[in-house]
Amino acid sequence: MSSSFSQIAARPQLVILSMMIFVQGCAYGATLPYLGVTAIGALGMSDEAYSALTVVASVMTVAISVSLGILSDGMGDRRRMIALLALAGTIGYGAIFLLPSIPVFILATALIIPFGQAVHSLLFASARIETSALSPRDAAAVNTIVRSFMSASWVVMPAVLGLLLAQSANMIGAWGAAAGCTLLVAIASLLLLAPAKQKGLSAGTSGTAFLEALRELVRAEMLVRMVAMAAVTGTTRLAMMIWPLILTLELGGSTRNVGFIAALIALIEIPFMLLAATLLKRFSLVALIIVSALLYGLHMVGFAFATAPWHFYALAVPGAATAAGLLSLPITYFQDLFPSRPGLGTAFMPINSFLGNAVSAGTFAIGSHYFGYSGTAWLGLALALSGVAGLLLVEGATHQKRA
């Protein structure tokens, strides 16, 4: 682990990118936890309108992030694109902060902020380029540590805003904080980032090259990978939907318990992400993802046997330890598939996030209807097993082709 930190410290641009990822993560962490509370509680949006807005915003984020990620592979310098997208985030978040109303909230959330959220993909793609001279295992370890900066932002920002806005009538101030964060990212991109060492592909921005990249996304082999990884990572989202309901509705826990446990999980994830970076130098990336998925699925079964609120505090430790791998390793998995095209590889992450949300939402809807919240925890294990089976299938087929 120390050598991975040394490799980051030896690359000033990677240090800057890591800090930018942290600040950009702060913008996301400042607003996402309060999205529904603000839209419905503070602005008076209906449940149906809010649900439709979240779907539209998710689709827009995926489409924009994937398209710009692919196009960025044809650019030798991503700095201006990062700055422009970050400024779009500043405008979107700032509009909600300065002009809080339903029309502004809808316009900014659905059409403007998704451009700002595309910065994540470009920052991770830029970080990948900075590790191109390292061995595959060293690069994977470094990228895992860089990913932990985003998790750290989710530990820091919600807690800070909770303290600062505790006496406020609403959480609109969170959007002002997010606007400030994205503005810092834009400034850093223009003033601190150096031109990328890797030159863009000459045909990378042509229509033909763009269509070729899209065809890579829909190849049968890649579709299996995406669905399998969505099932694996979807377990973490399903767990976040289940345990607060069991805790509060079935075991008599409070919302304060939910907040403490969520913060505890996020805090524990960070050191285990660093541990995952160390393990990558000894074990294969796919093996670590599979083991993490299986252990996380087994941890979810514990939800079904919980009989007191303190049980969820205990389950937070194995849950966070195994979730660390599921949160930090998939991005390297997809980037390794296209080592010379970091934008395309990173473009799989918003797709994976979208599919993971869909899989977990569908599983929750079916499970909660037929089996109750505790019974749905068993479906989490089934989801993990199905994702692992898909990964083993596609990786086995790929290995046979190479042989």
Side-chain angles (χ1 to χ4, degrees), residues 166-190:
Q167 305 302 319
S168 177
N170 55 58
M171 297 302 294
I172 292 295
W175 272 258
C181 289
T182 51
L183 181 59
L184 287 176
V185 170
I187 294 172
S189 179
L190 294 175

Side-chain angles (χ1 to χ4, degrees), residues 143-158:
N143 286 332
T144 300
I145 291 177
V146 171
R147 171 61 178 80
S148 70
F149 279 80
M150 187 170 179
S151 294
S153 69
W154 279 76
V155 175
V156 174
M157 199 60 174

Side-chain angles (χ1 to χ4, degrees), residues 173-321:
W175 272 258
C181 289
T182 51
L183 181 59
L184 287 176
V185 170
I187 294 172
S189 179
L190 294 175
L191 299 183
L192 300 180
L193 286 185
K197 297 176 183 178
Q198 176 178 308
K199 294 182 180 180
L201 303 175
S202 59
T205 55
S206 70
T208 302
F210 185 80
L211 292 176
E212 287 177 356
L214 289 181
R215 280 193 285 269
E216 289 284 354
L217 297 178
V218 297
R219 282 194 298 120
E221 177 184 322
M222 295 309 304
L223 290 176
V224 173
R225 281 192 168 98
M226 284 190 284
V227 173
M229 193 64 75
V232 165
T233 58
T235 56
T236 62
R237 296 170 174 82
L238 181 62
M240 285 300 297
M241 299 170 77
I242 295 173
W243 70 257
L245 295 172
I246 299 175
L247 175 64
T248 57
L249 300 183
E250 296 182 2
L251 302 182
S254 67
T255 54
R256 178 176 296 182
N257 292 139
V258 174
F260 283 145
I261 293 172
L264 178 64
I265 290 172
L267 187 62
I268 295 173
E269 283 172 354
I270 296 174
F272 279 98
M273 284 185 181
L274 303 182
L275 177 61
T278 300
L279 293 176
L280 278 170
K281 297 188 177 184
R282 298 184 180 181
F283 304 98
S284 76
L285 177 64
V286 175
L288 289 177
I289 292 175
I290 288 174
V291 171
S292 296
L294 293 176
L295 292 177
Y296 194 84
L298 289 173
H299 135 270
M300 287 188 67
V301 173
F303 297 171
F305 296 97
T307 57
W310 71 265
H311 290 170
F312 285 98
Y313 283 91
L315 287 168
V317 177

